[in-house]
Structures are given as C-alpha cells and as structure tokens.
Amino acid sequence: MNEPIFHYYGNKAGVEGADQIKQVIDDATRGSEYYKRQQEKRQQVLQKVNKMQMELDSYKKNEQKIKETKEIIQNKVKEFQINTDRIWAHFDMDMFYVACELLDKPELKDKPVAVGQSIVSTANYVARKFGVRSAMPGFVAKKLCPDIIFIPCHFEKYKSVSNIFMTILKKYDDNLESMGLDEANLDLTEYINNSQEDPAILCENIRKDIHLATQLTASCGVGPNKMIAKLASEINKPNGLHVVEQSATAVLNFLEKLPIRKIPGIGNITEQILSGLNFNTCKDVRDRADELYVIFTPKTFEYIFYSCWGVARNYHVEFEDQHSISCQRTFSSISTQREFEDKVDYIAEKLAEEMQSEEKVGNHLTLIIKTSKFEIRSKSLQLNQYTNQAKQIAIYGKQLLKIMQLDEPIRLLGLKMSSLANEKQIQKQSISTYFKRQIDKSSGQENLVPSIKGSKSHQITEENDSFNKMSIQQQEQSKPDILSDDEASSISNQILSGVNSKSHQSQQQQQQYQQKQQAQPKSFRCPICNKDIDCKGNNTVLNKHIDRCITQQNVIVEQSDESNRNFSGSKIKVPSKIDSKAQKSLNFFKK
C-alpha cells in the first residue's frame, strides 16, 4: 500500500496512466487543505486495513475455524444460481453534460473540456487522457491539464435532451429504471419475445435512434441482469456495445478479471480496503470468500460475494417512496454571512422545485456544509408540520446556519428534506381536523374549533441518533397540516429563543374570532388531558388550557457536527419532572 496519499481510481473510460496521474496529483496538492484531508482519510484506511489483517492472521492459525467457514461458503454457493432467463440492457449517454455543451460549441470538440468549475461534473475524453475525471476538484484538474476549459452547468439544457433520450427508451420498456439524466436500465425480455429480434441488433438500432434524435452518442451493455448489463456498457465506451451471453459460464468469464471497484456500490474507501488486503478482482473474492466472510459484516460480505458471482436482480420492483430529497452545490470558497444566506435561498428554491415536482412535503430539514478544509458538518431541524415551499425552507435553513456559527470559508452547501409524505394526502388531513370533530352532546351538532398556532415543539437534532429516528417514525405516521409562510417565520424565531410565543392578532381578526366563538358550545373535552373544559362560549379558554398543557414541554435541542469524530452521544435537554399529562401533549402534537 505504498501509494501516494491521493487514491486515484484509474479504470474510468478514457483514463490512461493512472499511476503517473496519482503521483502528479500528489505532488501538485501537497501542503493544501485538500491534501491534508486526503491524508486523514488515508490514515483511517490504513488503520482499518491493519486491524482486518490482524483478524485474518488470527483466522489462518485456527484450522477448525477455517474448516467451518469454508463449509458456510460452499453452502452459500450451492444455494444460489445465476438466472439467465431474462435480457437486460443498460444505456449510458457518453460524457453527457459536456456532449450537450459541445452541441452549441462544436469548435471545442478537440480541446480538453469539463463541465463545472470548483468540482468537475463531467469531462470529455480529451481531458480524461490527462487524468481529469468527474468529482475531481477543479484546481486538481487544472494541475493535470493546464489548458482545460471549464463550462458552467446548464441543467435545463441537460433535462431537455434527457427527456428525448428517455422517450426513445420507453418504447421498449415503459417501466425502465432511470439512473439519472443520462442512464437507464431496461428489461427487454417481453419486447424481444414478441418481436423475435436479436438483442445485439435491437440495441444497435436503439443507439442509432438516440444519435439521430439528439446528435449525441450512447454506449450500451446487454446481459442477463441489470448489474451485468451495467458493467457491460462500460466495456466499449464511448459509443460502443457489448453483449454478455445468456449463460452462467459467460457471466463468470466476464467477471473473472473485472476490478472489484467496477461493481456498483463499491466506492473509493471500500476499494482501498479490499486492495490493501489483496482483493483486486472478482476472482480474488470468489477464491478467498472465507477470508472476506471473516473480516466484513454479513451485509457487506453478501453484497460483495454475490456480486462477484454475477448474482443480481433481473426483474423490476416497485420501489418504496423515497425517504428524502436533497439539493447541494459546490462553489468557490465563500466566507461572509450574506454569501451563506444567498446560497441557502438559492438551494432552498431548487429543493422546493424538486419536492413540488414530486408532489412531496417533508418535516425534517438538514443543512450540510463542507468547509474549505474539506470537513463536512451538518445540523438538522425536525418540524411538527410539513412544507415544500422555498420561503419556508430558506427560513429554517438560515436558522440552522446561525446555530452552526460558521467561522471559516465553505465550498459546498446543501439542504435535505426527509420524513417525506404525499402532498395531496397531507392537504386532506391536518391537526385541525381533530378539533373540528368535537360534538356537543346536548345539541348533537359538530363544533368547529380553531387549530392551535404558535405552540409547536421543534427539535434541532443529530440526524443519526436513535431519539431522532423514533421521532421521525412517529411523525411519518401522522398527518399534520402544511405550514403557511407566516407560521414558518414565527416558529423559526422560536427555535433560537426556546420560548413559545403567541401571535398577536389585529383588531379585525379578533372581532372575527369573537364572532366564531359565539357559535361554539359552552364546554367540551380537551384532547390532551381528557378533561371537560367549561368554555363559557369562548374558545380562548380552551386554547389557553391547551397552551398550558403544551408549554410544560421544553423545546428539545440537539446539535450535530459530523466533523466532530469524538462526539460520544446525544445530549437531550429534558425537564427533570415531566408528568404524564405533559408527555401526552408532546405525543399528541407528534401525531
């Protein structure tokens, strides 16, 4: 493992001379914050590899353990089979973002070009020969290729071309699985059974149709499942086709010398660990599966093991609703509060657009930043009501920004909304409907009681702690109403102060409210403490009673900082005496 600090994955299509590129990057970035961060990551990997190697050394000395483990592996091999009865295709547009830009700038086609600036989104094959690749910092790309030309992203342009691409593919599989704007998996089995076309000829014709419609090229892979098709699509990039025959032998031969990093889901860190333990190809995993079984968790082992045997999903599934929607941007370092807030406004707008297009609302917001030292930090806010409005998201994002108290430049900012629900369903059901169903026993009429405002409990939480997960689950089962802009602004101020403040109504609003009160019954039951309340024809009495129940609960504040590796647990501020009635009020508003 005597390699440069920067771990460069050189098996990307168009990349040549990976070892030399690693050394160039290492020399060019030495002393920078980026280099220091890579150094830290490298040390963490080395420590993990050393620990695993010690476990392996101990394992190899225990003959009984070796025998038992190899029997387990043999049984696992007997249990599965490589299904080859279906035909999958994976289509991948070549250097998509750059290719879209070059349609408008054909004079740059023979020059090194990348889309992005502070971070490379996509590079053309001319730039890749110098070692430039996606997700690489812009200054590193500039060191590798001084003449590289950066073009800003134009997502609307890419979406427009992507729509054409997807429309063509849907003629062959209406249930295709999109992998972003430029990739898709198709199950061609039914189409081929009906048309009796040869898979290779069919996919070649589809690629021609894509080129005619977009003036861009696409690569394609064909195989018996979606993973094999994906891997096959990278063999003859760019603008190529590769077919893995529908047999178990063909699949195993195809995977024999394939680098493990090629397997979808195996990233940079996992590859470094596997490489440090001399697992480099799929064949290495198959031959030494017992060692892999000893050092990895069951889930990690099974994923790597079965993938290296070519076992993967070969049918469409109905995916569960997504749990979160996020939007983030990388940019040149910024350092002022005004710049931070401008980024929050911009990203909140983009996140809101995405949520509204998906008809989703959420009630758990996370702010994510990356400092100029490449440290990642985050803070989360859990709401009692749902929203998908840009103004509201921005308000909460800025409050999290203030709590984070940034004192150094940042180069990435993102917002993630989780605990998602269907917008239309939420609009039909709200907390206020609970109050509207109070029936006066004497009149037998349904009484409409105003919903309670300004008394909601919010939490600033660490995203991964158990308390937060429990709260999210409770809120996912509930159907609170969607926040108005006024509520969002009011509640966000309460977050920092930790005090529930009551809103001030104008004189006209108070008159309207009193008119409604006159139509209300003189008494009904409190939904929190279950006591009969004498309202005397005035709902304010009930509201004040409920406020007293609610305000027994303190706002629970929890702060997270992913950059703090020594964070040992959540610190939840809870009153020393919480009686059962107060707990009821918290549970009620979580519902």
Side-chain angles (χ1 to χ4, degrees):
M1 297 193 61
N2 297 320
E3 299 179 357
I5 293 299
F6 184 83
H7 183 77
Y8 182 82
Y9 175 58
N11 289 318
K12 188 79 172 175
V15 173
E16 300 174 0
D19 291 338
Q20 291 84 351
I21 292 169
K22 288 180 186 179
Q23 194 59 55
V24 170
I25 296 174
D26 198 66
D27 294 339
T29 60
R30 193 178 300 274
S32 68
E33 293 296 340
Y34 178 76
Y35 183 89
K36 292 175 184 177
R37 186 62 177 162
Q38 294 299 322
Q39 231 175 358
E40 292 174 8
K41 290 181 178 179
R42 187 64 171 165
Q43 287 302 314
Q44 291 170 4
V45 169
L46 288 171
Q47 290 173 9
K48 194 158 191 175
V49 168
N50 290 336
K51 182 180 178 181
M52 288 181 165
Q53 188 61 60
M54 291 174 63
E55 292 177 15
L56 280 180
D57 292 342
S58 176
Y59 164 73
K60 291 176 181 178
K61 295 176 183 178
N62 190 332
E63 293 185 3
Q64 182 61 31
K65 182 70 172 177
I66 292 174
K67 181 180 178 181
E68 292 173 356
T69 305
K70 287 191 173 183
E71 286 180 1
I72 292 172
I73 299 301
Q74 290 172 0
N75 290 332
K76 286 185 177 293
V77 173
K78 292 176 182 178
E79 288 172 0
F80 70 76
Q81 64 179 36
I82 303 172
N83 294 320
T84 58
D85 56 347
R86 301 198 71 80
I87 303 171
W88 280 73
H90 181 92
F91 287 87
D92 185 359
M93 300 293 285
D94 299 317
M95 56 177 199
F96 182 58
Y97 289 2
V98 173
C100 290
E101 296 294 347
L102 293 182
L103 290 176
D104 299 327
K105 300 177 177 66
E107 69 276 8
L108 299 180
K109 69 176 183 177
D110 296 322
K111 299 181 183 296
V113 178
V115 168
Q117 189 165 358
S118 56
I119 290 290
V120 176
S121 293
T122 309
N124 68 351
Y125 289 94
V126 180
R128 291 184 194 184
K129 289 181 180 179
F130 293 88
V132 179
R133 56 161 299 167
S134 59
M136 175 178 284
F139 80 92
V140 174
K142 198 74 175 175
K143 292 285 186 181
L144 289 170
C145 182
D147 296 327
I148 192 168
I149 299 168
F150 288 102
I151 300 175
C153 292
H154 299 99
F155 287 106
E156 293 305 318
K157 179 192 297 185
Y158 312 147
K159 287 179 181 178
S160 177
V161 177
S162 176
N163 288 338
I164 299 172
F165 170 61
M166 296 295 177
T167 299
I168 292 170
L169 298 182
K170 284 183 178 179
K171 293 190 295 184
Y172 304 94
D173 180 8
D174 192 49
N175 297 314
L176 65 82
E177 297 175 19
S178 173
M179 305 284 288
L181 296 178
D182 60 339
E183 295 183 71
N185 293 306
L186 287 72
D187 183 354
L188 297 176
T189 309
E190 302 304 326
Y191 185 91
I192 289 174
N193 286 345
N194 293 330
S195 67
Q196 295 298 307
E197 291 186 60
D198 179 85
I201 295 174
L202 172 63
C203 290
E204 192 62 40
N205 289 334
I206 294 174
R207 291 198 318 113
K208 289 178 181 178
D209 289 344
I210 292 169
H211 184 259
L212 286 172
T214 66
Q215 299 303 301
L216 305 179
T217 63
S219 297
C220 177
V222 180
N225 60 51
K226 62 176 292 186
M227 183 190 75
I228 298 299
K230 162 69 176 172
L231 295 171
S233 71
E234 299 178 8
I235 299 299
N236 289 322
K237 266 186 159 294
N239 195 25
L241 171 70
H242 185 83
V243 178
V244 178
E245 298 297 331
Q246 305 297 114
S247 73
T249 301
V251 169
L252 293 176
N253 290 339
F254 172 71
L255 294 172
E256 187 89 356
K257 297 180 180 180
L258 192 80
I260 293 178
R261 176 64 186 271
K262 289 281 188 179
I263 299 294
I266 296 181
N268 188 340
I269 299 300
T270 305
E271 185 211 1
Q272 289 186 62
I273 292 171
L274 289 168
S275 176
L277 297 167
N278 293 317
F279 289 96
N280 299 303
T281 65
C282 291
K283 186 176 185 299
D284 291 337
V285 171
R286 299 203 299 250
D287 290 346
R288 297 164 51 208
D290 61 314
E291 296 179 21
L292 199 75
Y293 181 86
V294 170
I295 57 178
F296 282 100
T297 63
K299 286 186 177 180
T300 302
F301 163 78
E302 289 190 359
Y303 181 78
I304 298 173
F305 175 74
Y306 288 123
S307 295
C308 289
W309 279 94
V311 178
R313 178 164 59 84
N314 68 342
Y315 53 87
H316 284 307
V317 296
E318 292 186 8
F319 292 102
E320 295 181 357
D321 288 341
Q322 62 192 113
H323 298 293
S324 65
I325 296 176
S326 61
C327 179
Q328 65 183 38
R329 293 289 184 271
T330 304
F331 36 79
S332 300
S333 293
I334 58 176
S335 57
T336 68
Q337 187 68 21
R338 178 62 183 272
E339 289 175 315
F340 298 159
E341 292 182 355
D342 287 346
K343 289 296 182 185
V344 169
D345 285 334
Y346 173 75
I347 293 172
E349 183 177 343
K350 296 300 179 184
L351 177 59
E353 289 176 1
E354 181 68 19
M355 293 181 68
Q356 290 165 18
S357 69
E358 298 286 340
E359 295 186 345
K360 297 290 185 182
V361 290
N363 65 358
H364 190 268
L365 184 67
T366 301
L367 172 69
I368 306 163
I369 64 98
K370 181 186 287 186
T371 70
S372 58
K373 295 180 180 179
F374 294 86
E375 296 175 350
I376 296 175
R377 303 176 186 174
S378 74
K379 294 197 184 296
S380 298
L381 169 63
Q382 186 170 319
L383 308 177
N384 262 355
Q385 292 182 296
Y386 288 92
T387 186
N388 64 2
Q389 299 302 306
K391 182 178 178 180
Q392 297 160 8
I393 295 171
I395 288 171
Y396 293 127
K398 289 175 186 177
Q399 297 295 350
L400 288 171
L401 196 62
K402 290 178 182 177
I403 295 167
M404 195 174 279
Q405 296 181 340
L406 292 173
D407 57 359
E408 60 182 304
I410 66 171
R411 62 193 315 276
L412 176 148
L413 191 147
L415 291 170
K416 179 176 74 172
M417 187 69 79
S418 53
S419 292
L420 300 181
N422 182 278
E423 182 177 17
K424 292 180 179 178
Q425 290 179 352
I426 294 298
Q427 287 173 341
K428 292 178 181 178
Q429 301 182 45
S430 66
I431 292 178
S432 59
T433 59
Y434 186 95
F435 297 97
K436 293 178 181 179
R437 293 181 180 178
Q438 303 296 325
I439 299 177
D440 186 274
K441 295 181 180 180
S442 61
S443 64
Q445 294 180 345
E446 185 172 2
N447 303 308
L448 303 180
V449 183
S451 59
I452 308 303
K453 307 287 185 181
S455 303
K456 303 175 181 66
S457 173
H458 294 260
Q459 301 170 356
I460 299 167
T461 66
E462 181 178 8
E463 194 171 3
N464 294 323
D465 68 43
S466 59
F467 181 86
N468 184 45
K469 288 179 181 177
M470 176 185 69
S471 301
I472 291 173
Q473 290 170 357
Q474 289 174 335
Q475 291 203 4
E476 283 176 341
Q477 295 170 1
S478 64
K479 301 294 181 182
D481 54 336
I482 299 174
L483 288 172
S484 67
D485 289 344
D486 291 339
E487 283 183 280
S489 180
S490 173
I491 295 170
S492 65
N493 290 330
Q494 296 171 27
I495 295 167
L496 291 179
S497 65
V499 178
N500 288 327
S501 61
K502 297 180 181 179
S503 60
H504 297 286
Q505 297 175 314
S506 66
Q507 185 175 358
Q508 182 180 2
Q509 288 175 321
Q510 290 177 356
Q511 291 174 352
Q512 293 174 347
Y513 189 54
Q514 289 172 0
Q515 291 173 0
K516 290 182 179 180
Q517 288 175 341
Q518 294 174 2
Q520 298 303 323
K522 293 186 177 181
S523 67
F524 56 84
R525 189 177 298 273
C526 171
I528 298 174
C529 68
N530 218 27
K531 290 183 178 180
D532 287 326
I533 308 302
D534 184 6
C535 295
K536 298 184 173 63
N538 188 339
N539 289 331
T540 303
V541 175
L542 172 68
N543 291 350
K544 286 182 178 180
H545 173 87
I546 294 175
D547 279 346
R548 283 195 297 272
C549 289
I550 294 168
T551 53
Q552 292 179 64
Q553 289 299 320
N554 286 355
V555 175
I556 300 171
V557 177
E558 176 121 359
Q559 298 188 357
S560 75
D561 189 341
E562 287 186 6
S563 67
N564 185 358
R565 302 294 182 186
N566 296 322
F567 186 76
S568 61
S570 51
K571 300 179 180 178
I572 304 173
K573 296 182 180 178
V574 182
S576 58
K577 295 180 180 180
I578 301 179
D579 61 29
S580 60
K581 295 178 182 178
Q583 189 63 47
K584 271 188 176 181
S585 70
L586 178 62
N587 293 336
F588 173 79
F589 278 93
K590 284 181 179 178
K591 294 179 180 177

